[in-house]
C-alpha cells in the first residue's frame, strides 16, 4: 500500500472512531434519561386568580435530573388540544381558564418529542384548597370557653365552596400531643374546663374538599395562633368546672330552699 493510501486509511479510521464516540455519547445520555424514575404528582387549585385555575406538578424524587424535561397536558381543555407547563424552581405550573373541569386529561413528562411517562388525571379530583388564614381565639369569661374563628378564600369562590376543616391544637410544652377536631363551619368553641389553666396553647387549621364532585388533598396548614388560658386558682373558679360542681350547686340550692321553708 502506498504512503498516500495508508494516510487516507488512518484518516478514515479516526473519523469512524470520532463519529462512533459522538454517537455513543448521545445515545448514552438518552439511555440514562430512560433509566431515571420520572414518576410525578399533581394538584389543582381552582379560581386562584379570578376565573383562572392553577395546576402544579412535580417529580416525586426531588433529586431527579429534570434538565430539558417538560410537562404537557392534553385533553379536557377548552379551545386547544394541549398546553405546556412553565417551570419554576423544580415545579411545573399552568395558570389558565382553559380547563374544562369535566373528564380526564393526560399529563406527560417529555424529553424532546418523546413521552417519558404519562398519567391520566381529572382536574376536579386532585384539588388542593388554599390554606385557611386569619385564625383568632377569643376567651368568653361568662361562657367559660374560647371562641375559635378562621377565614378561607373558598367562601367567595364559585367552585369548591364546601370544605371539611381540621383544627389541631396543643399545649406548647407538649410538642407532639396534638388534639384534632373536624368541622364544616369556620367557628368552634373550646371548653375552658378541657384546657389546662394558665398555659400557652398553639392552634392551626387546614382544609380538604368535602363534596362528591370535587375531591383531592389537604391544604397546607394555616399560620399558627397562640393563646394563653386564664388562671383558675381561686376556689370559686375551681368549682366552675365539670359534673362535680353541678352536684355541689344542686345540693347548695336544696339547702337554701330548705332554710327558707
Amino acid at each position: 500500500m502506498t504512503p498516500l493510501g495508508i494516510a487516507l486509511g488512518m484518516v478514515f479510521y479516526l473519523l469512524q472512531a470520532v463519529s462512533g464516540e459522538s454517537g455513543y455519547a448521545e445515545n448514552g445520555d438518552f439511555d440514562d434519561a430512560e433509566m431515571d424514575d420520572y414518576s410525578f404528582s399533581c394538584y389543582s387549585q381552582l379560581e386562584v386568580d379570578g376565573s383562572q385555575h392553577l395546576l402544579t406538578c412535580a417529580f416525586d424524587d426531588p433529586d431527579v435530573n429534570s434538565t430539558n424535561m417538560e410537562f404537557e397536558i392534553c385533553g379536557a381543555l377548552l379551545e386547544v388540544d394541549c398546553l405546556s407547563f412553565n417551570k419554576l424552581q423544580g415545579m411545573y405550573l399552568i395558570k389558565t381558564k382553559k380547563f374544562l373541569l369535566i373528564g380526564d386529561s393526560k399529563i406527560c413528562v417529555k424529553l424532546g418529542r418523546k413521552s417519558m411517562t404519562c398519567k391520566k388525571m381529572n382536574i376536579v379530583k386532585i384539588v388542593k384548597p388554599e390554606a385557611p388564614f386569619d385564625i383568632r381565639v377569643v376567651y368568653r369569661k361568662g361562657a367559660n370557653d374560647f371562641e375559635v374563628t378562621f377565614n378561607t378564600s373558598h367562601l367567595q369562590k364559585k367552585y369548591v365552596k364546601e370544605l371539611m376543616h381540621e383544627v389541631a391544637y396543643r399545649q406548647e410544652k407538649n410538642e407532639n400531643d396534638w388534639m384534632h377536631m373536624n368541622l364544616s363551619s369556620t367557628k368552634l368553641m373550646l371548653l375552658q374546663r378541657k384546657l389546662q389553666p394558665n398555659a400557652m396553647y398553639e392552634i392551626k387549621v387546614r382544609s380538604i374538599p368535602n363534596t362528591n364532585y370535587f375531591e383531592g388533598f389537604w391544604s397546607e396548614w394555616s399560620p399558627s395562633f397562640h393563646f394563653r388560658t386564664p388562671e383558675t386558682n381561686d376556689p370559686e373558679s375551681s368549682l366552675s368546672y365539670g359534673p362535680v360542681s353541678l352536684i355541689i350547686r344542686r345540693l347548695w340550692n336544696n339547702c337554701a330552699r330548705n332554710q327558707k321553708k
Side-chain angles (χ1 to χ4, degrees):
M1 181 179 291
T2 64
L4 179 60
I6 293 173
L8 290 173
M10 292 181 66
V11 170
F12 179 79
Y13 173 80
L14 290 172
L15 288 172
Q16 286 286 346
V18 171
S19 173
E21 289 175 1
S22 175
Y24 177 78
E26 291 176 0
N27 291 336
D29 287 345
F30 194 79
D31 290 342
D32 289 343
E34 287 189 324
M35 292 175 64
D36 283 334
D37 179 11
Y38 289 109
S39 60
F40 63 93
S41 301
C42 302
Y43 65 85
S44 63
Q45 293 180 304
L46 306 185
E47 300 174 285
V48 294
D49 185 6
S51 59
Q52 291 198 100
H53 312 305
L54 180 65
L55 179 62
T56 303
C57 296
F59 292 110
D60 295 334
D61 180 2
D63 297 323
V64 70
N65 181 9
S66 61
T67 304
N68 299 323
M69 291 293 169
E70 298 178 348
F71 275 69
E72 182 182 67
I73 180 172
C74 299
L77 299 171
L78 294 168
E79 302 173 355
V80 295
D81 295 326
C82 299
L83 289 171
S84 296
F85 287 63
N86 297 311
K87 187 176 182 181
L88 179 64
Q89 298 179 348
M91 309 288 285
Y92 293 82
L93 315 169
I94 288 182
K95 185 187 285 188
T96 181
K97 300 178 181 179
K98 296 185 181 298
F99 295 139
L100 190 58
L101 303 183
I102 299 175
D104 292 335
S105 300
K106 185 167 77 169
I107 302 175
C108 294
V109 177
K110 305 194 74 174
L111 178 59
R113 295 184 178 181
K114 182 177 178 62
S115 295
M116 307 304 294
T117 184
C118 295
K119 284 185 179 181
K120 274 190 175 182
M121 294 187 182
N122 190 328
I123 298 298
V124 302
K125 303 301 182 184
I126 55 171
V127 175
K128 180 179 179 179
E130 296 174 57
F133 60 95
D134 196 25
I135 186 169
R136 292 286 183 269
V137 180
V138 176
Y139 175 55
R140 304 195 308 170
K141 186 175 181 180
N144 291 325
D145 64 15
F146 295 84
E147 183 181 69
V148 181
T149 59
F150 55 91
N151 207 341
T152 170
S153 62
H154 289 261
L155 294 175
Q156 286 77 43
K157 293 182 183 291
K158 180 180 177 182
Y159 306 110
V160 200
K161 291 175 68 78
E162 297 181 31
L163 300 172
M164 177 66 68
H165 309 291
E166 179 185 8
V167 175
Y169 65 95
R170 61 162 185 162
Q171 194 174 347
E172 282 193 350
K173 69 177 184 178
N174 301 326
E175 292 187 1
N176 298 316
D177 190 16
W178 289 95
M179 300 293 291
H180 298 266
M181 300 175 64
N182 289 337
L183 64 155
S184 57
S185 67
T186 56
K187 182 171 72 172
L188 78 151
M189 304 300 175
L190 294 178
L191 298 179
Q192 184 177 1
R193 62 183 173 81
K194 291 190 175 182
L195 303 177
Q196 293 298 315
N198 194 27
M200 283 296 297
Y201 278 83
E202 176 186 1
I203 190 167
K204 58 185 180 179
V205 60
R206 63 179 181 172
S207 307
I208 195 170
N210 190 33
T211 68
N212 292 328
Y213 189 73
F214 295 102
E215 301 174 7
F217 314 107
W218 284 105
S219 72
E220 300 297 325
W221 287 102
S222 69
S224 292
F225 185 87
H226 302 264
F227 65 99
R228 179 178 291 278
T229 57
E231 296 182 4
T232 55
N233 293 330
D234 57 288
E236 290 184 4
S237 297
S238 63
L239 290 176
S240 65
Y241 297 93
V244 174
S245 65
L246 183 61
I247 295 173
I248 293 174
R249 287 174 182 173
R250 287 178 177 174
L251 291 173
W252 179 265
N253 291 334
N254 288 336
C255 290
R257 290 193 193 100
N258 291 332
Q259 287 180 355
K260 288 181 180 180
K261 291 179 181 179

